[in-house]
Amino acid sequence: MSTKKVEWIMADHQIEGETEKIVGLRTQGGRRREGDLMAFRAYWHSMRRGADVPLRSEIDPRGIEGLLSQAFIAEKIAPGLARLRIAGLHLSDLMGMEVRGMPLSSLVDIADRPRLSDALVELFERPAAVRLDLASAGGIRRAPMTGTMLILPLRSDLGDISRALGCLVTTGSIGTTPRRFRITECEVTPLDITAPADPVPAPGLAEAPATFTPAPEFASERPYLRLVRT
């Protein structure tokens, strides 16, 4: 059992006088969550060529190893609607079932699904990066949870922006499933992809091919050598 899980099990069983300890653990988890999200987005950004959107085929799971269980790949199937093609175990744990093939909106409360749909339209059409701050109310045999979903656009092998790389990190014990989340804040950041992409580096240690520059004409200049008849 990992140290993180042991900490949370201990926190869930503290008496009322230990409330400060529980809050402290959650605050520490929030800091870790933000660091993980920054690293996740930095990897996605490193896959961009200049200002372009990365290709789905270029995403290497080893690059997001720290959040692999929370990560997912989604596919646009209609305006504002995407389904999960690949999903980490954490998402299945939240729903209490296998989530591959399910709409991404299944993780969100019904009341907030139109808001998610609007954000997905922006993500695929502009394109844009989307960050959702989430909350799930407590109930019978489950404590309140908070979470953050980060969704970043990808190009398919055909070149269209119809894929997305995302992750959902949460704080709190899952308890009774399924766990669905309200959207407490939605941040949509349009991407500027008008700038020319950086040149693709040459493989291995080979140098990039040199550009061809036409030699200047020397018709008006005196030749370096000339023939002299005597």
Side-chain angles (χ1 to χ4, degrees):
M1 182 177 293
S2 67
T3 303
K4 182 177 179 182
K5 289 183 179 179
V6 171
E7 289 177 348
W8 277 109
I9 291 172
M10 291 175 62
D12 288 341
H13 289 80
Q14 297 299 319
I15 58 176
E16 293 181 1
E18 296 291 333
T19 303
E20 293 183 357
K21 183 174 182 180
I22 297 175
V23 173
L25 283 170
R26 289 178 179 170
T27 302
Q28 182 181 5
R31 287 196 295 267
R32 287 198 298 267
R33 184 169 72 191
E34 286 301 319
D36 289 341
L37 290 169
M38 290 177 63
F40 189 89
R41 182 159 184 165
Y43 171 74
W44 171 85
H45 186 77
S46 71
M47 293 293 101
R48 302 179 70 184
R49 294 179 177 176
D52 202 3
V53 172
L55 288 168
R56 158 68 183 91
S57 58
E58 293 178 330
I59 300 300
D60 187 341
R62 292 173 294 183
I64 54 174
E65 188 173 2
L67 282 178
L68 203 55
S69 178
Q70 291 88 358
F72 61 85
I73 296 286
E75 176 188 14
K76 174 186 174 183
I77 56 177
L81 186 62
R83 69 181 177 95
L84 295 164
R85 290 178 60 92
I86 301 173
L89 291 176
H90 182 61
L91 279 72
S92 295
D93 290 342
L94 287 169
M95 296 297 292
M97 66 183 77
E98 175 61 65
V99 297
R100 286 181 297 177
M102 295 174 61
L104 180 61
S105 58
S106 61
L107 295 160
V108 176
D109 277 358
I110 294 176
D112 283 340
R113 289 178 185 176
R115 197 174 180 187
L116 172 62
S117 179
D118 291 343
L120 290 177
V121 169
E122 295 290 310
L123 182 142
F124 290 117
E125 300 301 329
R126 274 187 180 264
V130 172
R131 175 187 168 126
L132 304 173
D133 289 336
L134 308 170
S136 179
I140 299 175
R141 293 166 50 193
R142 60 184 185 184
M145 294 182 71
T146 59
T148 302
M149 183 184 292
L150 185 62
I151 321 172
L152 306 166
L154 296 173
R155 292 190 184 275
S156 73
D157 292 339
L158 299 177
D160 60 325
I161 301 175
S162 60
R163 304 290 190 273
L165 173 67
C167 66
L168 171 57
V169 293
T170 60
T171 301
S173 300
I174 295 176
T176 306
T177 59
R179 296 301 297 256
R180 293 187 172 89
F181 295 85
R182 295 296 308 266
I183 298 175
T184 59
E185 187 171 348
C186 177
E187 179 181 297
V188 177
T189 306
L191 303 176
D192 180 11
I193 61 172
T194 59
D198 292 336
V200 180
L205 298 177
E207 297 181 356
T211 57
F212 174 74
T213 303
E217 296 183 5
F218 297 99
S220 62
E221 297 181 5
R222 297 180 62 186
Y224 181 71
L225 297 175
R226 61 176 177 164
L227 176 65
V228 178
R229 297 181 180 276
T230 59

